Amino acid sequence: MKIHLIANMYPSKEAPSYGVFVKNTEKILESAGFEIDKTVLTKSNSKINKLVGYGVYFSKIVLKGLFNRYDYTYVHYAAHNSLPLLVLKKLKKNVKIVTNVHGSDVVPEVPSQEKFQPYVKQLLEKSSKIITPSQYYKDLVIEKYKVNTPIEIFPSGGVNKSVFHKKENKRELFKEYGLVDDVRYIGFVSRIDVGKGWDILLDAISLLKKENSLHNVKFVIVGDGKQRDEFDKKMKDLGIEEDIKRFSLLPQPALSDIYNCIEAFAFPTVRKGESLGLVGLEAMACGAPVIGSAMGGILDYVEDGRNGLLFSPGSSEELAMKIKEYFLLDEADQEKMKKEAVSKANEYEVENIKPMLISVFK
């Protein structure tokens, strides 16, 4: 079976984490014996390069679809790829499209993304199958588009256990990343962008500092994005720079190290389009329970009080309270929560979810 894999996000040497789940799906399909021909875009910071890149990319999607024989055309991200695929479908009606929707496909994050919504609906209607990362997102797609296309669930490539797992060399990792031995850390890994909750976390850190209730707790924050300047200003205005260890962008093996250094993972998103939240599962695989917003795909895997803690989306006060609640647990209860986190993450491990994706095409 030959599959044409299409994605406008794909990892490169310069941006190894950019669209890494697309590469993970490619590996899964190849391991099942499928022949993969891919048309993808890697990250570019130049507007001119982006414009030219998309022009070439869209042309390849249409031309390769017209003149090559594929059993399926498998596309990640409906919004950005809908136009060339709709053109292809009009020119070649027997093309079988499997559309994997993510995040802003269904819930646009900025007004400029709204214009794609009519085309997303058309693409989903013309697809042979739709793939969503979670039950939450499946329900959202059905509610919004009222499509009759069959919908399958596949959790965004899954957790790569060869990278994300518990490690025993915590003291060495602390030294490597400049962390303090007698301090306990809460982690946060995300783009510093609208809706990701970085501002909620900073307010929660400020509240905890004012209360002076957690003397030996600090925070590790990994990420960069369009709101980096706003982040830096807010952090300075709140006077919490000394409470935060910052990293910009890290490759996946380094992220695994960070997850092994933290006690818990803060996930304060307010995005309705949080279709799964793979970073939360990757942190859990390393033994870090999630303290997360009670919304979106997070609810598919975080059970309050069992493998993590949940709080009302947007509430920095509740986030601060839940962080305190976690550290007030006795050591045995914390260890039990960590073990439950690892156990739940194992359900999403690549080998365990492989059959879900392979069955879509077989």
Side-chain angles (χ1 to χ4, degrees):
M1 184 179 289
K2 191 172 184 179
I3 297 173
H4 187 195
L5 176 65
I6 296 169
N8 60 306
M9 287 179 66
Y10 195 81
S12 63
K13 190 178 290 186
E14 293 73 26
S17 297
Y18 185 73
V20 69
F21 48 82
V22 177
K23 191 174 181 66
N24 289 343
T25 60
E26 179 188 2
K27 288 179 179 177
I28 288 171
L29 294 172
E30 285 179 332
S31 73
F34 297 134
E35 182 184 348
I36 306 298
D37 180 17
K38 60 178 180 279
T39 301
V40 296
L41 275 178
T42 54
K43 191 175 181 64
S44 173
N45 295 319
S46 164
K47 288 185 178 180
I48 295 175
N49 288 345
K50 274 185 182 179
L51 189 62
V52 173
Y54 265 101
V56 173
Y57 171 70
F58 284 171
S59 299
K60 282 185 176 180
I61 290 173
V62 176
L63 293 173
K64 288 171 75 172
L66 281 175
F67 297 109
N68 293 338
R69 294 185 65 181
Y70 301 111
D71 294 284
Y72 284 101
T73 294
Y74 177 30
V75 58
H76 285 267
Y77 287 106
H80 289 81
N81 296 291
S82 54
L83 284 173
L85 285 170
L86 288 170
V87 170
L88 174 61
K89 186 71 175 174
K90 191 170 185 178
L91 296 172
K92 191 175 181 180
K93 297 190 187 310
N94 64 344
V95 171
K96 292 182 180 178
I97 300 172
V98 174
T99 302
N100 201 320
V101 288
H102 303 275
S104 60
D105 281 340
V106 178
V107 187
E109 296 173 15
V110 292
S112 62
Q113 294 172 343
E114 287 285 352
K115 64 179 179 286
F116 294 114
Q117 283 303 295
Y119 306 113
V120 170
K121 179 174 172 60
Q122 288 181 52
L123 179 60
L124 296 183
E125 288 172 341
K126 293 179 183 298
S127 296
S128 298
K129 289 184 181 180
I130 300 167
I131 299 175
T132 67
S134 62
Q135 182 63 47
Y136 157 77
Y137 215 61
K138 177 179 179 177
D139 294 339
L140 200 61
V141 168
I142 293 170
E143 177 189 344
K144 182 167 184 177
Y145 300 112
K146 309 292 191 296
V147 292
N148 295 317
T149 310
I151 301 177
E152 307 283 351
I153 296 173
F154 175 71
S156 296
V159 177
N160 185 349
K161 286 287 284 184
S162 67
V163 177
F164 297 102
H165 56 267
K166 289 197 73 173
K167 300 176 182 178
E168 303 302 325
N169 59 334
K170 192 169 181 177
R171 180 167 291 183
E172 293 172 24
L173 294 176
F174 265 53
K175 186 176 180 181
E176 182 177 348
Y177 292 94
L179 304 180
V180 181
D181 280 340
D182 60 350
V183 170
R184 303 178 77 186
Y185 290 93
I186 296 287
F188 173 77
V189 176
S190 173
R191 296 197 320 268
I192 308 300
D193 282 342
V194 175
K196 286 296 189 177
W198 58 266
D199 48 342
I200 296 161
L201 177 60
L202 294 187
D203 284 333
I205 295 171
S206 178
L207 287 170
L208 291 167
K209 186 170 185 176
K210 285 176 183 175
E211 292 176 5
N212 199 28
S213 54
L214 297 174
H215 304 288
N216 66 333
V217 175
K218 291 188 183 295
F219 297 79
V220 179
I221 293 179
V222 182
D224 208 340
K226 295 175 183 176
Q227 292 191 313
R228 171 66 182 267
D229 291 342
E230 290 95 321
F231 178 101
D232 291 340
K233 183 179 185 304
K234 188 175 182 71
M235 183 173 61
K236 186 177 180 180
D237 290 345
L238 292 173
I240 54 176
E241 297 104 314
E242 293 182 0
D243 301 281
I244 296 172
K245 178 72 175 179
R246 284 294 310 279
F247 297 95
S248 183
L249 298 172
L250 294 175
Q252 287 200 312
L255 287 179
S256 177
D257 291 343
I258 295 296
Y259 295 146
N260 272 276
C261 291
I262 62 177
E263 297 294 321
F265 181 79
F267 202 162
T269 182
V270 292
R271 293 174 65 236
K272 191 180 177 184
E274 199 69 65
S275 52
L276 179 66
L278 194 57
V279 287
L281 284 163
E282 290 168 346
M284 289 168 71
C286 299
V290 168
I291 303 175
S293 301
M295 67 177 297
I298 296 171
L299 294 175
D300 270 32
Y301 57 86
V302 175
E303 299 174 60
D304 189 43
R306 183 171 183 177
N307 57 21
L309 297 169
L310 296 170
F311 64 94
S312 300
S315 175
S316 52
E317 292 83 4
E318 280 195 37
L319 173 55
M321 183 182 71
K322 290 293 181 176
I323 291 172
K324 284 192 293 184
E325 182 180 326
Y326 176 77
F327 283 112
L328 287 172
L329 293 172
D330 60 39
E331 189 174 340
D333 286 337
Q334 285 184 17
E335 285 303 312
K336 184 179 179 182
M337 190 175 283
K338 290 177 180 179
K339 286 179 181 176
E340 290 288 350
V342 172
S343 177
K344 175 56 74 171
N346 282 342
E347 295 177 20
Y348 289 81
E349 198 270 321
V350 173
E351 290 300 319
N352 291 331
I353 65 167
K354 263 186 182 182
M356 299 166 72
L357 182 64
I358 293 167
S359 68
V360 171
F361 295 94
K362 282 191 172 178

